[in-house]
Amino acid sequence: MSISFEILEEDIFGRTGRLKVGEKVLKTPALLPVVNPHLPLITPPEMKSLGADALITNAYIFYRSKEFCEPALARGLHDVLGFDGIIMTDSGSFQLSVYGDVEVSNSDTLLFQRSIGSDIIVPLDIPTHPDTPRDQTEKELVITMERLREAGEILGPDAPLAAPIQGGSFPDLREQAGRMAGEMGCTFTPIGAVVPLMESYRYEELVHVVMAAKKGLPSSACVHLFGAGHPVMFALAVAMGCDLFDSAAYALYAKEGRYLTTHGSKKLAELSELPCSCEVCRRHSADEMRKSPEKIRLLARHNLIVTLTEISRIRQAISDGVLWELVDERCRSHPQLLRGYRALLTYAEDLGKRDRVSKRRFFYRGDESCRRTEVLRYQMMIPRFSVGPKVLVTFDRLPSGGVPEYDTVLLFKPPFGPYPVELKETFPIGQCELPEWDDHMVITGCRGIRALIAGNPGVSVTVRCGPEWAAIVGRELPEVRLERN
Ligand SMILES: [Zn+2]
């Protein structure tokens, strides 16, 4: 295939990477703004100047348009739109999901997309609504996979083809679809038909659907979350391993008078301030924006800048190894997002397999932090500590004169658990910032002591702690000797 994807840095399942389409290169994670040629609130050259290196448009609109079809065929899509970056085209599947029917066949749209010079071509897949019953979902998935196979035959093995992953809300079907796309050698895989989940804030289901698709897909595939355009959920999606987003939201929200922020959207009518540092918001007051004849365009420009900025912030977070902190922050913007975050934490064991070993920091941000990959990974390493027959785990500082009656003395840092003094400066112990200890943190740390005992059967473990923690330690670790200080 003429699409290749290289992973550069990883954090959780998120990654920074380089998507290469022919000779064009895109840094990921990336956002592809949606362009509607009939009413461009922001023109493609303007998008480019704001930092968008790729965009997506709908081939079906060009195909059906008296105004745009001929020029696109004659001059090519890039010339018509005035954009020399990567242009991905959707096939008409979106119209199929909204209107139930399209006047184009799979081979028609594939050949048309190729004729207008699309950089990434999408077959006419069936976007199965997440509330569709299983038998119909299965039938539609068969058609989608058949059309993908047909696309390979029509366009040839080197075509820049996207392989949409369908399967409705059934995790096993999503996984199967991902596996089949991987077996067919597809390197660019949009996860489709998730917009209804996002529109109704069903983030918990979204997490299960995406994680299932990821389980089937090779980790080297570039994953596009089709139709995801609200910046509030990008960090969560990237943490699951989504690399690309497309946003019509910047324009749709603008038309409804809504102002995007990274923690939700607000009605411009209700704002007395514009809490943003973009050029639009610095040059206008909320009142001026409301009264401007250019209101929708100004809003769209602000919305797109906020969206692109969040993508940059996420790339930096991955580079710094602080993506969990960003996910935690964003997901507290809405209770349903928090549910999504908690659902993602149930995959911590899988996520830990790709998560990086060392990070810049671990900020404790409440109960959810106890379930993070770093805690799980650390506790999986604890059984390998080599200890003598008599072990002391102390919640306090190491006594200056040592503790001669014990063979091994370990310190304790919740939520991780016991650690030898040699690990004091290394990640995560050395980079973990805690507020005052709380019960949840200490209970999780006790799980670490339990891992130590499980890995060293026969050793005698004593825990030395203050009276405030004695009850928890006694309850969590009935097998240890408790020494109060
Ligand atoms: Zn702004």
Side-chain angles (χ1 to χ4, degrees), residues 117-414:
S118 168
D119 292 303
I120 301 175
I121 298 174
V122 182
L124 190 69
D125 60 319
I126 313 270
T128 306
H129 191 280
D131 295 333
T132 310
R134 185 169 179 108
D135 53 345
Q136 194 186 334
T137 305
E138 283 175 353
K139 278 182 204 148
E140 292 180 358
L141 179 57
V142 169
I143 297 171
T144 291
M145 297 317 291
E146 187 42 48
R147 288 183 181 173
L148 179 60
R149 254 187 295 275
E150 189 185 33
E153 283 161 19
I154 292 172
L155 300 177
D158 286 333
L161 189 64
I165 307 300
Q166 298 292 346
S169 54
F170 300 97
D172 61 316
L173 296 182
R174 291 280 186 174
E175 185 183 338
Q176 188 193 328
R179 187 163 300 119
M180 287 193 285
E183 284 163 6
M184 290 164 75
C186 301
T187 48
F188 189 92
T189 53
I191 298 177
V194 289
V195 169
L197 294 178
M198 294 185 282
E199 279 175 350
S200 48
Y201 295 85
R202 290 155 69 181
Y203 292 109
E204 188 181 358
E205 283 169 81
L206 177 73
V207 166
H208 294 310
V209 159
V210 172
M211 288 304 289
K214 283 290 292 187
K215 196 172 171 195
L217 283 166
S219 60
S220 57
C222 182
V223 177
H224 174 175
L225 194 61
F226 235 134
H230 198 303
V232 76
M233 53 81 62
F234 289 167
L236 178 68
V238 169
M240 294 191 276
C242 297
D243 306 293
L244 297 180
F245 305 94
D246 59 276
S247 174
Y250 76 93
L252 298 174
Y253 279 68
K255 283 179 204 155
E256 292 168 8
R258 285 155 81 193
Y259 180 93
L260 288 183
T261 80
T262 50
H263 42 276
S265 48
K266 303 186 184 306
K267 288 184 184 138
L268 179 62
E270 292 169 1
L271 288 179
S272 54
E273 292 290 334
L274 299 178
C276 167
S277 56
C278 88
E279 28 117 357
V280 178
C281 299
R282 290 309 96 212
R283 281 192 205 144
H284 300 82
S285 68
D287 205 40
E288 283 164 0
M289 199 195 274
R290 259 192 301 275
K291 288 176 182 155
S292 168
E294 290 286 289
K295 180 180 99 172
I296 296 176
R297 284 178 49 79
L298 290 172
L299 261 178
R301 194 170 167 92
H302 154 84
N303 286 349
L304 186 59
I305 294 173
V306 167
T307 308
L308 289 164
T309 306
E310 179 68 356
I311 294 286
S312 300
R313 191 178 286 120
I314 289 171
R315 287 200 298 252
Q316 184 66 44
I318 294 172
S319 221
D320 289 344
V322 295
L323 186 56
W324 270 129
E325 275 77 6
L326 188 61
V327 171
D328 189 291
E329 198 173 316
R330 293 291 179 259
C331 288
R332 289 180 198 281
S333 309
H334 194 282
Q336 293 302 330
L337 270 167
L338 187 55
R339 282 182 77 164
Y341 173 29
R342 288 176 176 164
L344 181 64
L345 287 165
T346 65
Y347 294 93
E349 210 175 312
D350 288 336
L351 297 168
K353 289 175 191 154
R354 288 207 72 89
D355 198 15
R356 68 210 261 173
V357 177
S358 189
K359 302 190 179 190
R360 186 162 290 185
R361 61 173 187 255
F362 179 105
F363 275 4
Y364 186 83
R365 301 176 62 98
D367 294 3
E368 282 76 16
S369 300
C370 294
R371 287 179 262 155
R372 279 170 50 170
T373 42
E374 299 93 335
V375 177
L376 231 69
R377 269 171 85 120
Y378 182 82
Q379 294 189 341
M380 282 161 76
M381 181 186 76
I382 291 176
R384 300 205 299 271
F385 290 171
S386 94
V387 295
K390 284 184 75 184
V391 180
L392 175 70
V393 178
T394 175
F395 280 31
D396 299 316
R397 282 158 198 259
L398 208 54
S400 56
V403 195
E405 63 270 38
Y406 291 98
D407 304 302
T408 306
V409 179
L410 298 173
L411 295 153
F412 181 78
K413 185 149 194 179

